[in-house]
Amino acid sequence: MIKEICAALLEADVNVKLVGTLRKSIKATVNFKELPPAVNKKRLIQKTVFDELVKLVDPHAEPFKPKKGKPNVIMFVGLQGSGKTTTCTKLARHYQSRGFKSCLVCADTFRAGAFDQLKQNATKAKIPYYGSLTQTDPAVVAKEGVDKFKKERFEIIIVDTSGRHRQEQELFNEMVQIQTAVKPDQTIMVLDATIGQQAEAQSKAFKETADYGAIIITKTDGHASGGGAISAVAATHTPIVFIGTGEHMLDLERFSPQPFVSKLLGMGDMAGLVEHVQSLKLDQKDTMKHIAEGVFTVRDLRDQLQNIMKMGPLSKMAGMIPGLGQMMGGMDDEEGSVKMKRMIYICDSMTNKELDSDGKIFVEQPTRMTRVALGSGTSVREVEDVLSQQRMMAGMAKKMGGMGKNMQRAQGAMAGGNRQQQMAAMQKRMQSMGGAGRGGPGGMDMGALMKMMGGSDGGAGGMGGGGMPDMQSMMKMMGGMMPGDGGAGGRGRGR
Ligand SMILES: Nc1nc2c(ncn2[C@@H]2O[C@H](COP(=O)(O)OP(=O)(O)OP(=O)(O)O)[C@@H](O)[C@H]2O)c(=O)[nH]1
């Protein structure tokens, strides 16, 4: 088993030496001889590997926190094509949306077109930028830009540097010159997740020269498992702060060790998820019955919202399902929960008749929407959003009408089954999905995931007991309710 895991890690581009160390430390941690016979060895080894890897990438330190009201200069370094310019803009937008006055400085005078690229990105994100088409000394441009923005009281000043030179030494010299000129509060290295085994050497070389304090891994939405990233962290003892999850401006997520390692090993914490959900005593009966009949009322939506709220932070939930965390890119727990609470207030301001309706009543008498908006302290637009969410779910329920009955049957058949076995089979399926690299996080096949969770094929994938099958609707809803871009039902990026 250890051999298998080590092979998988090597395949995922984790550094050879690191795998060796890991192997030794597993053997040292797990005392196989003295294990009582009842202990599930496989699970124990898996957990040890998982913990070791998480320990490796967990920075155990507070990441750099920019201070409000003062200039925070952040310099980016990294090889060409690693996604530096894109990530600079993503980060500037990230801070800007959190109330920091942010801007970008292009210090790449080597590549013609670098400034244009930054300009385009910055304009799209409505972020002020600085660069020069005539000045050839990058350190001078960087200093000019930083000084100008400091004077204008910008709080986040991000400096993008060149990643390409005729010789590596020239690139490194230039990095040092820029660093000396702008004295960054933080230097971040951008590393492409697809870099593989070169990650260690590259990150070490950059560390020796530019002594960056944080790493951002880009392109984690691709097929690469990101093992190189772990090697880079291990080699340089530098924390990963964010991960890039796509080409879109919003595809930047705070790094979190557990989901990252889960993906690397191709397993989500499904067991944890099942236990968590089962401990919540969610009220599903009516909704399940309704879905089986192909119906989904406003009240069903309300109950589902409340169930989701009970589950705790969405990001935590998502982290337990391989790939889902990344897929929900940019999702902020607080924003999500505020949005959901408002949706519940809206439902709570409805009459029983409205709640038990299919929503058409609001179309027939639109003043009802105004009344509900007033009563809940929200806007008509938000009421419309809730109703369109419900309509979408109702459409799904209709399609699933027949399927719902099968689901219930399958559930009943499994109620007496061996949960442990079901769970093991489930994990295996999750692993094969994650491990086979099906398009990585962004590309996870939601249909398959939902089918599995619902166990609609009546196979071992289902989870028995109450509650779980309704994950189907929950997932869909989670997908539809991401705040920010597009509002209700407006996702689809990250794919
Ligand atoms: N799929 C995906 N693509 C990304 C991500 N980040 C960046 N890219 C893409 O990677 C390519 C290179 O990104 P750039 O930002 O131009 O790279 P750079 O490091 O600035 O390159 P130089 O300017 O040559 O130094 C672009 O096509 C980006 O859209 C990511 O997280 N996921």
Side-chain angles (χ1 to χ4, degrees):
M1 165 117 197
I2 297 182
K3 220 187 240 172
E4 249 171 50
I5 289 180
C6 288
L9 289 173
L10 287 173
E11 208 171 295
D13 286 331
V14 178
N15 181 274
V16 182
K17 270 184 272 165
L18 196 61
V19 175
T21 319
L22 205 69
R23 192 186 176 123
K24 272 192 212 121
S25 101
I26 297 168
K27 286 191 169 166
T29 317
V30 187
N31 188 348
F32 292 101
K33 290 210 182 81
E34 284 167 31
L35 278 182
V39 171
N40 183 340
K41 290 190 180 116
K42 196 171 167 169
R43 188 111 181 90
L44 191 71
I45 297 174
Q46 251 178 3
K47 190 171 175 323
T48 315
V49 174
F50 186 81
D51 291 347
E52 288 288 327
L53 288 175
V54 167
K55 232 190 319 183
L56 260 178
V57 288
D58 197 342
H60 297 294
E62 270 292 290
F64 166 76
K65 270 216 178 87
K67 292 189 188 72
K68 274 254 159 94
K70 74 172 271 283
N72 299 274
V73 180
I74 303 172
M75 175 173 155
F76 270 63
V77 296
L79 282 190
Q80 56 145 322
S82 55
K84 240 181 309 115
T85 308
T86 314
T87 311
C88 278
T89 323
K90 284 183 187 175
L91 193 67
R93 197 218 63 91
H94 171 90
Y95 283 124
Q96 194 170 44
S97 66
R98 278 153 187 79
F100 288 91
K101 204 174 158 195
S102 310
C103 61
L104 290 161
V105 176
C106 175
D108 182 355
T109 54
F110 186 82
R111 181 166 70 92
F115 180 36
D116 262 347
Q117 190 196 350
L118 181 118
K119 216 152 97 177
Q120 268 180 21
N121 286 351
T123 311
K124 230 191 271 166
K126 297 197 178 63
I127 291 163
Y129 56 88
Y130 181 86
S132 168
L133 290 171
T134 48
Q135 176 58 258
T136 51
D137 185 341
V140 173
V141 185
K143 178 98 175 69
E144 278 172 5
V146 170
D147 285 349
K148 167 181 149 41
F149 285 128
K150 271 187 179 170
K151 241 183 251 154
E152 293 170 13
R153 301 196 169 277
F154 273 85
E155 292 165 306
I156 300 285
I157 305 171
I158 297 179
V159 182
D160 187 14
T161 64
S162 169
R164 182 184 336 204
H165 265 273
R166 270 177 293 274
Q167 282 178 343
E168 204 174 67
Q169 197 49 47
E170 275 180 41
L171 174 69
F172 286 157
N173 290 347
E174 179 179 309
M175 258 167 16
V176 175
Q177 280 160 12
I178 299 176
Q179 220 167 20
T180 317
V182 302
K183 296 188 188 60
D185 298 282
Q186 179 170 54
T187 303
I188 298 178
M189 182 186 65
V190 176
L191 196 69
D192 185 329
T194 59
I195 181 157
Q197 291 283 344
Q198 299 156 40
E200 191 193 357
Q202 195 193 104
S203 55
K204 265 190 180 159
F206 271 86
K207 184 85 180 176
E208 275 158 27
T209 320
D211 192 22
Y212 50 85
I215 299 176
I216 294 182
I217 309 286
T218 58
K219 308 183 195 178
T220 61
D221 49 315
H223 288 289
S225 315
I230 290 202
S231 315
V233 174
T236 61
H237 304 287
T238 310
I240 302 171
V241 282
F242 285 96
I243 55 173
T245 55
E247 295 188 71
H248 192 275
M249 204 69 73
L250 292 166
D251 296 334
L252 185 74
E253 260 185 49
R254 246 184 213 295
F255 173 75
S256 137
Q258 277 90 356
F260 189 81
V261 173
S262 292
K263 193 206 155 195
L264 189 83
L265 294 173
M267 60 184 199
D269 184 10
M270 291 310 295
L273 178 66
V274 175
E275 266 159 37
H276 181 56
V277 173
Q278 284 181 338
S279 69
L280 293 171
K281 299 196 175 43
L282 303 177
D283 187 13
Q284 307 275 13
K285 273 187 232 97
D286 292 345
T287 303
M288 282 316 294
K289 193 164 155 270
H290 271 172
I291 293 182
E293 289 160 3
V295 175
F296 195 91
T297 64
V298 185
R299 193 191 294 281
D300 289 326
L301 176 69
R302 187 198 175 285
D303 291 348
Q304 294 312 298
L305 283 168
Q306 209 140 38
N307 281 343
I308 294 179
M309 296 289 291
K310 269 194 216 164
M311 291 182 188
L314 281 186
S315 60
K316 183 175 155 243
M317 291 280 305
M320 297 193 221
I321 302 167
L324 194 64
Q326 277 95 335
M327 209 192 69
M328 286 166 53
M331 168 87 177
D332 186 316
D333 280 336
E334 221 169 298
E335 283 171 81
S337 112
V338 167
K339 174 150 183 164
M340 260 189 267
K341 269 192 199 141
R342 288 176 75 87
M343 292 175 87
I344 292 179
Y345 297 154
I346 289 171
C347 295
D348 284 345
S349 300
M350 292 180 185
T351 62
N352 279 336
K353 189 172 162 197
E354 286 163 348
L355 277 174
D356 292 319
S357 76
D358 58 2
K360 286 204 186 85
I361 189 168
F362 289 96
V363 182
E364 287 152 11
Q365 293 163 284
T367 50
R368 285 179 185 268
M369 279 194 258
T370 325
R371 195 203 79 241
V372 170
L374 270 174
S376 56
T378 60
S379 62
V380 174
R381 172 82 207 274
E382 283 170 281
V383 178
E384 281 171 348
D385 281 350
V386 168
L387 292 171
S388 68
Q389 186 77 44
Q390 179 263 337
R391 238 186 346 264
M392 186 188 92
M393 306 276 305
M396 270 174 48
K398 208 167 177 182
K399 276 196 215 127
M400 284 174 28
M403 207 171 114
K405 288 195 191 82
N406 292 339
M407 257 158 61
Q408 282 187 329
R409 216 175 300 136
Q411 214 185 90
M414 272 180 330
N418 180 343
R419 238 194 63 193
Q420 203 102 34
Q421 258 171 18
Q422 290 165 18
M423 202 98 89
M426 169 92 151
Q427 283 236 348
K428 223 165 164 181
R429 284 169 75 167
M430 290 311 284
Q431 267 172 27
S432 66
M433 285 178 78
R438 295 179 59 147
M444 181 136 194
D445 183 346
M446 277 308 276
L449 176 64
M450 293 201 299
K451 198 164 153 207
M452 195 166 48
M453 306 211 78
S456 56
D457 55 356
M463 281 184 252
M468 278 320 278
D470 208 50
M471 288 294 286
Q472 290 197 334
S473 40
M474 191 190 86
M475 293 298 157
K476 249 292 190 284
M477 241 171 7
M478 278 180 168
M481 281 190 311
M482 292 315 112
D485 56 336
R491 51 176 321 286
R493 62 187 180 78
R495 287 218 166 221

